[in-house]
Amino acid sequence: MSLAKIKPFRDYSEHDVVNLFSLDTATGDMGLLVKIKGDGWKNNDNHGIAWNEFEIKNVYSPRWEVKSKVTVTTSGDRAFGMTLYKVLEENQFGYPLRYDPVRLQEAQAVVSGQAVPILRKGTVLYNFGTVTGVGAVNPGPGSGLIPSTTVNGGLAVVHGLNQTLSGGSVVRITNLVGECLGKKDADGYALINLDFYK
């Protein structure tokens, strides 16, 4: 069974949500860490026609998009925030969601090209998965959170502010984006507090 990266239980101010960027892919999950792509937001060129909706002769139906983009973080990136909505084109039956705005809102989703809400500060229930055993770093109260170096757009758990590198040298962690407020439950969810302003 596939579980969402974040649950609907969330606590944040709307002032800490940015609605100025669209995701640079046609689909994407909620709860992804993202970074600003390219030149970022521009006052004079932040939206426009993306493409023609139909491939029928003599039919022109332009689709608008937000040109300022974010992309999923990869290893070593500084995260801008976390997506609060999914990016989807179709529902589970293959019907385009751009024609069904009610189901689009019920799914907590936007279609590609639309601005996706990005959380900069707040508290969410985040899915760390149910991996346990040797080498698993499980979240606990006070554990730090950094962008993952192995999972694009994911979070990694760190204990303490220092990290030991493979050569044995110790470096101070400077890219903390939040902390855990408790242990994860049986489904892998833990309550976390995020702050990307640091």
Side-chain angles (χ1 to χ4, degrees), residues 18-26 46-48 50-51 53 63-70 83 85-89 97-101 104-105 108-118:
V18 177
N19 292 295
L20 298 173
F21 300 91
S22 60
L23 194 63
D24 68 342
T25 60
N46 59 3
H47 65 279
W51 59 86
E53 196 71 68
R63 183 166 164 183
W64 287 85
E65 76 168 342
V66 175
K67 289 186 179 179
S68 305
K69 303 283 184 190
V70 290
T83 58
Y85 276 30
K86 298 178 215 171
V87 179
L88 297 173
E89 285 296 317
L97 284 168
R98 64 184 169 272
Y99 302 126
D100 195 350
L104 191 65
Q105 284 299 312
Q108 292 187 339
V110 296
V111 294
S112 63
Q114 290 182 340
V116 60
I118 300 169

Side-chain angles (χ1 to χ4, degrees), residues 119-165:
L119 180 66
R120 298 273 291 144
K121 184 178 183 181
T123 304
V124 297
L125 271 172
Y126 182 83
N127 188 353
F128 288 96
T130 55
V131 177
T132 57
V134 178
V137 180
N138 290 311
S143 300
L145 299 171
I146 61 172
S148 176
T149 57
T150 57
V151 178
N152 291 348
L155 282 171
V157 177
V158 293
H159 298 291
L161 294 176
N162 295 321
Q163 184 177 19
T164 304
L165 301 177

Side-chain angles (χ1 to χ4, degrees), residues 11 33 41-42 79 92 113-114:
D11 182 28
L33 295 188
W41 189 85
K42 295 183 211 171
Q92 65 269 31
Q114 290 182 340

Side-chain angles (χ1 to χ4, degrees), residues 3-70:
L3 297 173
K5 269 302 202 192
I6 54 176
K7 283 191 175 183
F9 174 76
R10 303 166 192 168
D11 182 28
Y12 57 85
S13 166
E14 287 298 328
H15 297 288
D16 293 317
V17 177
V18 177
N19 292 295
L20 298 173
F21 300 91
S22 60
L23 194 63
D24 68 342
T25 60
T27 59
D29 202 2
M30 63 177 70
L32 293 175
L33 295 188
V34 292
K35 64 177 179 177
I36 297 174
K37 183 177 180 180
D39 294 333
W41 189 85
K42 295 183 211 171
N43 188 36
N44 60 347
D45 187 28
N46 59 3
H47 65 279
I49 295 173
W51 59 86
N52 189 10
E53 196 71 68
F54 297 104
E55 294 181 9
I56 303 171
K57 288 184 179 181
N58 300 322
V59 174
Y60 182 63
S61 179
R63 183 166 164 183
W64 287 85
E65 76 168 342
V66 175
K67 289 186 179 179
S68 305
K69 303 283 184 190
V70 290

